[in-house]
Amino acid sequence: MYVLTKSEILKNIYTFSYPYLDEDKKLTIPDLKKGFANFLSEANQVISTSTNLELLTSGKRWEYLVHTFKLDQCGQPNEQKMDLFCLKVNSALDYLKKNDSEYYEIFSIVVKTIFITDSVSIAGSSSSPNTLGVIWIQPNNNWTKLDIIESLVHEFTHNVLYLDESRFGHYIQPEKLNQKQYWLPSAIRDTKRPLDGVAHSILVATEILNLRKNWNYSLDNNSVHGENSSLLRKGLYSLTAINSHEAARDILGDRMKYLLKKAYEWLNKNSGKKVNL
């Protein structure tokens, strides 16, 4: 966790959990887990009130989430395939817990449900501000454990940014976000996207690169997020595009400008070529 620190994320969790905490308002992790789970279950009816992270592979809530995420799901899931995907996701979560217990601890407070599919035409992962605490993932057959971990970190970053936005507000005149004159190049996808998606892509790219640096690994261009040099280049390019588009930049609130500045500082520091914004 770099752009949003552990302390900032916990403060956001506490802010929204406060009405659901016991009378003594304890700040222990178990209390926060319980309070935040209750907050999420009230805000989002597809979330379980359990404090445990769940993998969802079938049932009415699974069907609802498939529909909500607009996934082109064909028929009922294949049990054998789902078992394999669950095994892979659980293995990735165990690896995350073993290698960065602090990160996993915060992850398991924020993310309550990971729902898995097996027949969406394009494998991937996704999250939504309308279903805070939920991650969709469908690993490709050739995804490695690190690919799955990066996908989970990717979606966790979106979730903590949605929470931060709910507390502070990230955009001025948010109705302009989807207007095409403000669309800019994404740091993750090779397309132009709405401004909020671009801002998130920069912050996600920074978190993925920070994870790789902390864990001392790199991946080739066939991985889910590509190689380090590509992520660095696209992240800085997206930041330059925002900075060069005055009207788009004016839509960003002070909080998002602060987060993007932190991302720029990290990317610039770790890039071989200095970029001036």
Side-chain angles (χ1 to χ4, degrees), residues 4 20 28 34 39 50 57 134-135 172 177-178 188 252 256 276:
L4 277 173
Y20 305 91
T28 66
K34 181 180 177 182
F39 159 73
S50 170
T57 59
V134 175
I135 287 176
I172 300 168
L177 289 172
N178 287 319
I188 299 292
L252 302 175
M256 179 52 79
N276 293 315

Side-chain angles (χ1 to χ4, degrees), residues 28-29 31 38 55 61 70 78 85 119 125 128 133 154 158 161 166 169 175 184 206-207 219-220 225 234 266 268:
T28 66
I29 293 298
D31 285 302
N38 287 329
L55 299 189
R61 286 197 300 127
K70 297 180 172 60
N78 178 286
F85 286 172
S119 58
S125 64
S128 166
H154 179 139
H158 283 308
L161 287 171
S166 294
E175 68 276 5
L184 294 168
T206 305
E207 291 295 345
L219 297 177
D220 62 29
H225 293 101
K234 290 195 291 186
W266 194 100
N268 215 14

Side-chain angles (χ1 to χ4, degrees), residues 79-149:
E79 187 176 345
Q80 188 175 8
K81 210 171 178 183
M82 281 294 212
D83 286 345
L84 176 61
F85 286 172
C86 278
L87 188 65
K88 287 184 173 184
V89 173
N90 268 322
S91 178
L93 287 167
D94 288 342
Y95 191 86
L96 177 62
K97 186 176 183 178
K98 179 181 177 182
N99 285 272
D100 195 335
S101 58
E102 186 177 82
Y103 198 112
Y104 179 82
E105 186 175 63
I106 305 302
F107 180 97
S108 65
I109 296 175
V110 174
V111 179
K112 307 310 304 175
T113 299
I114 299 174
F115 79 100
I116 302 171
T117 59
D118 66 350
S119 58
V120 174
S121 57
I122 300 176
S125 64
S126 184
S127 51
S128 166
N130 299 319
T131 51
L132 189 64
V134 175
I135 287 176
W136 163 69
I137 190 167
Q138 180 177 304
N140 204 340
N141 290 330
N142 63 354
W143 279 18
T144 66
K145 189 177 295 185
L146 287 172
D147 283 323
I148 297 174
I149 289 170

